[in-house]
Amino acid sequence: MGDIIFGPVGHATRLEYTVIGEVVNLVAKLEKHTKSEGVRALTTGETYALALDQGYRPARAPEIRTRREVDGVTDPVDLVVLAK
């Protein structure tokens, strides 16, 4: 959840599509961190709360893991397990 910049980068012979931003870096770190937590998918507590505010209703109660150390992230992060 956050601001990103996206679009094509390159020139006619080598064109790629990319997204950049702090949130993109966090998502990559969370994806890598799933292995440490032993789960298939995670999100931050902040993003999960926003999803609930916007009408998301989970099929079952989430597992919340508070103040987890994520490599490359300065402060501990509250995580919500989306899939085990």
Side-chain angles (χ1 to χ4, degrees):
M1 161 184 93
D3 295 329
I4 63 167
I5 297 172
F6 62 94
V9 176
H11 55 83
T13 61
R14 184 162 184 218
L15 189 62
E16 296 180 359
Y17 191 81
T18 191
V19 291
I20 58 174
E22 189 174 322
V23 69
V24 176
N25 296 335
L26 175 59
V27 169
K29 291 170 186 169
L30 287 178
E31 189 279 329
K32 185 176 180 182
H33 189 70
T34 59
K35 293 171 187 67
S36 299
E37 295 287 336
V39 299
R40 292 185 303 148
L42 296 168
T43 191
T44 64
E46 182 181 6
T47 299
Y48 188 78
L50 181 61
L52 292 174
D53 288 346
Q54 293 178 355
Y56 172 69
R57 295 296 170 252
R60 59 184 176 274
E63 180 183 344
I64 298 171
R65 299 181 181 185
T66 58
R67 302 194 47 78
R68 303 304 264 217
E69 296 290 334
V70 177
D71 286 344
V73 178
T74 306
D75 298 319
V77 181
D78 292 339
L79 301 174
V80 178
V81 177
L82 299 175
K84 287 191 173 188

